[in-house]
Amino acid sequence: MIQRFLFSGTGGQGVITAALVFAEAAVFGEGLNAVQTQVYGPEARGGSARSDVIIADREIWFPKVLQPNVLICLSQLAYDRFSPLVRPGGVTITDPFYVTRWQHATSRALEIPLHETIVALNGGDGLSIQGINMCLLGALSRLIPVVSPESLHNAVERRFPARHRERNLQALEAGTTLVRERVTTF
Amino acid sequence: MERRIEVNRNWCKGCRICVAFCPKNVLELDRKGTVVAARPGDCIWCGDCEIRCPDLAITIVREAAS
Amino acid sequence: MTPTGTVTPTGTGTLHFLQGNEVCAEAAVYAGMRFYAGYPITPSTEIAERLAWRLPQVGGTCIQMEDEIGSLCSVIGASLTGLKGMTATSGPGYSLMQEAVGYAIMAEVPLVIVDVQRGGPSTGLPTHASQGDVMQVRWGTHGDHAIVCLSASTHQDLFEIMIRAFNVSETFRTPVVVLIDEIVGHMREPVRIPDAGEFELTERLLTSVPRDVDYHPYFPREDGRLPMSHFGGEHRYNVTGLYHDMWGFPSDDPRVTNDLIHHLMNKLENRKRDLTFTKEWYTDDAEIMLISYGASARSARHIMEDRRAVGMRMGLIELQTLWPFPGELVRERCRQANYVVVVEMNMGQIVHEVKTAVDRPERVFLANRVDGEMITPVDIKHLVRVIQGKGI
Amino acid sequence: MAVTDYLRRRFMPHIWCPGCGHGIVLNSLLRAIEKLELEKNDIVMISGIGCSARIQGYVDFHTMHTLHGRALAFATGIKMAWPLLKVIVPMGDGDALAIGGNHFIHAARRNIDVTAIIMNNSIYGMTGGQHSPLTPCGDQATTAPYGTVDSPFDVVRLASAAGASFIARTTTYHAREMTRLLAAAIEHRGFSVVEVLSQCPTYYGRKNDAGDAVAMMEGFRDGTVRIDRKTAETSDGDPGRLDGEAAGTPIGLFRREERPEYCEAYRRRVVEPAMAAGRGESETP
């Protein structure tokens, strides 16, 4: 088994943290191997954000993701740029709030209303999207059978200091529930 | 207390600083350009020569009288 | 030899999921490093950040200096007092450190410099991959000198190489450079930090000369080692960057000068065997031999496994010691290969050493990439197809 | 212990020219150390490059002859690694303030317990008489054949702005005062700066018709004016300026204040809490 994930979006959404927690959950929770890389530098400050995660039950040598099995795009820019890269048979996950899909390639496309869900969870303020990254992970754990919700739960507890823990766990939980109810497949 | 001016002739480079700033004109350069205490009897033991010597060549030796 | 990897590192200790830079920091602490001075520079900064947090926990000292020059100078000072010292930087910072590198070589001060390479020349590509500092590390200071430079491609190897770097530097009283790159430095993967005691640590060889007895800080023993005395301790001596006698005082006596430069070169060049660390795969039957190091070796390993699966006899030497260059070993292992492909992310640096080392330099090819992107397994595959006359 | 007992006598006489003020600094420094009754083994002297830097070879302490301008950086490492040592850093004007200017202001900013002695002879002596950042504007030097255009630093103001907690200026003429100031500087806990106006009769003196060593020292005598501490403190926070019109370069003790010393502050505010807390539960800082 080897799965290549590409997390992308804009700065402030926390997609890099999402990638990191996801990889940690695979390593510590599932006993799998994982490699995480990200794009650094000025372009990572406020602009676009990208992080690659490879998860496998064997050694991983080349650490970059050139063709993701799973592509997550939380911005139009990221979608426009990366959606052609998805492996045949792969999955593209987008949030309709951020992304208007135009690719009709061989990959499966899933739309999840992460933004809407997290805004509701945070009390209805449209600017308050804190936790959207954990919400994404909750959804991912249901959609891609690599990392279990339990492993993610533990990884969140491990990663965040006490004062942020509860909120992130709630967002994670919201993501898992969301998948059962509101995923649109194309 | 016995006191005398001791000059390390190997270290002295003859710069004349001690000669110039001696308040009692005790010191002078000899023929070879090395400082000597020419008039030790006039010395008031102020130590100005000792502390200003760039070559650490002058010592005011203070010995208890035997 | 056959590959012997495991999915996740096993054994004693604790499993972590860290960046390579963080691994450098943790390994240094494990090796007993207690003084770090550095200046922020991408892509090495996480080393300083980790150590600013980590070193005080074990009673060590971490200081952010005003520049890279001051960083390495203060490490030299601290090392002389008996602490294992380290700094970390990237190519532009290493350029600034070159004068102090020469000083550490001349004054025979043990310390470790981690250079996390980025694209150059000049400020170049701060956040992108490159392996352009190989020759800077070899020749980067004026005058003839020998230098030890180690590298690693995986975090578990990196942990061990860092400890070896400290051991070598303490053994031979010499600066040791650990040369990694933006990929290895920033990538996160599982790494096992072993329990204390699993790796042997070389401690400083201290003089047994008692107080008030003439101590010669620069009089090598027969094995080339020089017992030290803590600077500020019982023996007072002089340390200088000038050619010096066995007490450390400046000398321009031609015999003293000649002996010193030979000693500085020979203490490392004559001990290549102790300083050569490599990893080898299928070197016994390889028709196409890849030679690589650092992040490039990950792509080399990837394509080697991939090609072996379809029956191609490809092998790999991963150089963990770049300097002194293990030329004899490379010559020996490449003897039966039809082609040698050096994989590196520069315009060709180690490839020249390989060409010098092997019997048939015309069979040595360079697979490189210099656009800031990591060289991919496919890049290597294409080059191999071309030299085999198969086209891409 | 006699003053010359602190010398490595086998290397004497020293290499400095006849009348060079640096020898007087060496003389005063040893007297200061004798006065403080310091153990040779407790003192580390670190110098850079230049005529001034050669002072380290003649003293029987732990000595280190480093790189041009970098002595304070080496000293920072030594002091932090072994805070009980007395660290003395003699520097020339070019060494301290041109190539080493950045290390100087940052050592002052940290207030690390190091004694910096700036032996200011307004010239690069070792390389043969080039102008330095302390050469007065208009003066002659081999690299300023038409006179310098550059304005010099004022060491006292520079050190003050950078945060040194002990600042003094004296001259080789005032050798007794120099001894007193150096002793006070070495005793001071924090970054101490003593600027000593020193004569270079060979290059600076000759180039600028300043006469021989004696004439140059007479110039220090007649061209300086002593401040007392009170004056220094009431000069609108500018320790380099005297109240009223002063004829000449102000000399004396300009600042002595208690500020947290760097090694001590690092131990108290970083190491002790970190060691007490141990490794946190979180992987990241």
Side-chain angles (χ1 to χ4, degrees), chain C residues 16-18 22 26 35 49-50 52-54 56-67 69-70 73-78 80-81 83 99-100 103 211 230-242 249-250, chain D residues 8 10-11 39-42 44-46 54 56-57 60-68 70 72-74 76-78 80-82 85 102-104 106-107 109-110 262 266 270-271 274-275 278-280 282-285:
Chain C
H16 297 254
F17 189 68
L18 297 176
E22 294 168 326
E26 288 296 332
F35 185 92
E49 289 174 340
R50 182 95 178 175
W53 167 73
R54 189 76 178 84
Q57 295 175 353
V58 291
T61 298
C62 179
I63 180 171
Q64 181 170 318
M65 288 297 284
E66 51 272 17
D67 55 29
I69 303 169
C73 291
S74 66
V75 170
I76 292 173
L80 282 170
T81 68
L83 297 187
E99 65 165 354
Y103 189 92
R211 191 180 181 137
H230 292 321
F231 203 69
E234 291 199 333
H235 298 285
R236 294 185 303 278
Y237 59 97
N238 191 51
V239 179
T240 178
L242 295 168
F249 288 102
Chain D
R8 287 168 172 151
R10 64 187 181 282
F11 297 122
E39 284 288 322
K40 289 181 185 180
N41 274 354
D42 292 340
V44 177
M45 187 181 279
I46 302 148
R54 292 308 180 105
Q56 132 293 145
D60 191 15
F61 311 134
H62 303 283
T63 57
M64 193 170 179
H65 182 219
T66 69
L67 298 163
H68 198 25
R70 317 290 174 221
L72 282 170
F74 284 89
T76 300
I78 288 177
M80 286 201 80
W82 199 332
L85 293 168
N102 202 31
H103 305 303
F104 178 78
H106 285 275
R109 175 177 65 82
R110 291 186 190 106
Y262 191 76
Y266 186 79
V270 178
V271 177
M275 287 184 86
R279 258 191 109 154
S282 162
E283 182 96 321
T284 43

Side-chain angles (χ1 to χ4, degrees), chain A residues 31-58:
Chain A
L32 293 167
N33 193 9
V35 172
Q36 182 258 348
T37 59
Q38 68 203 59
V39 175
Y40 277 81
E43 64 269 37
R45 308 266 185 275
S48 66
R50 172 187 173 166
S51 178
D52 299 359
V53 174
I54 304 175
I55 294 173
D57 57 3
R58 53 188 152 99

Side-chain angles (χ1 to χ4, degrees), chain D residues 195-210:
Chain D
E195 180 191 7
V196 183
L197 307 185
S198 173
Q199 69 274 17
C200 172
T202 305
Y203 291 111
Y204 183 80
R206 234 167 22 195
K207 278 265 165 202
N208 292 284
D209 299 322

Side-chain angles (χ1 to χ4, degrees), chain A residues 30 33-34 64 82 88 117 121 124-125 179 183:
Chain A
E30 311 294 337
N33 193 9
K64 298 282 183 183
F82 300 130
T117 308
L121 185 72
D125 175 3
V179 169
V183 173

Side-chain angles (χ1 to χ4, degrees), chain D residues 86-143:
Chain D
K86 289 279 182 198
V87 181
I88 302 171
V89 180
M91 295 174 286
D93 36 321
D95 196 31
L97 297 174
I99 190 165
N102 202 31
H103 305 303
F104 178 78
I105 56 174
H106 285 275
R109 175 177 65 82
R110 291 186 190 106
N111 196 34
I112 189 162
D113 184 17
V114 166
T115 302
I117 306 169
I118 299 179
M119 299 151 79
N120 173 10
N121 57 9
S122 310
I123 204 91
Y124 285 84
M126 188 67 94
T127 44
Q130 298 75 34
H131 70 87
S132 87
L134 296 186
T135 306
C137 186
D139 279 8
Q140 299 284 317
T142 57
T143 46

Side-chain angles (χ1 to χ4, degrees), chain A residues 118-186:
Chain A
I118 206 73
V119 164
L121 185 72
N122 290 349
D125 175 3
L127 294 175
S128 177
I129 58 157
Q130 254 188 341
I132 193 167
N133 53 349
M134 293 303 117
C135 189
L136 163 70
L137 290 190
L140 213 52
S141 68
R142 291 290 181 201
L143 295 168
I144 317 290
V146 173
V147 176
S148 69
E150 293 70 36
S151 298
L152 277 170
H153 187 277
N154 294 339
V156 167
E157 287 201 325
R158 185 189 158 90
R159 167 63 45 186
F160 295 102
R163 63 184 191 283
H164 300 308
R165 208 168 280 153
E166 203 43 48
R167 213 186 52 229
N168 279 298
L169 287 173
Q170 278 172 12
L172 190 70
E173 180 59 35
T176 35
T177 324
L178 175 65
V179 169
R180 277 201 296 273
E181 297 158 5
R182 306 212 25 210
V183 173
T184 317
T185 310
F186 295 89

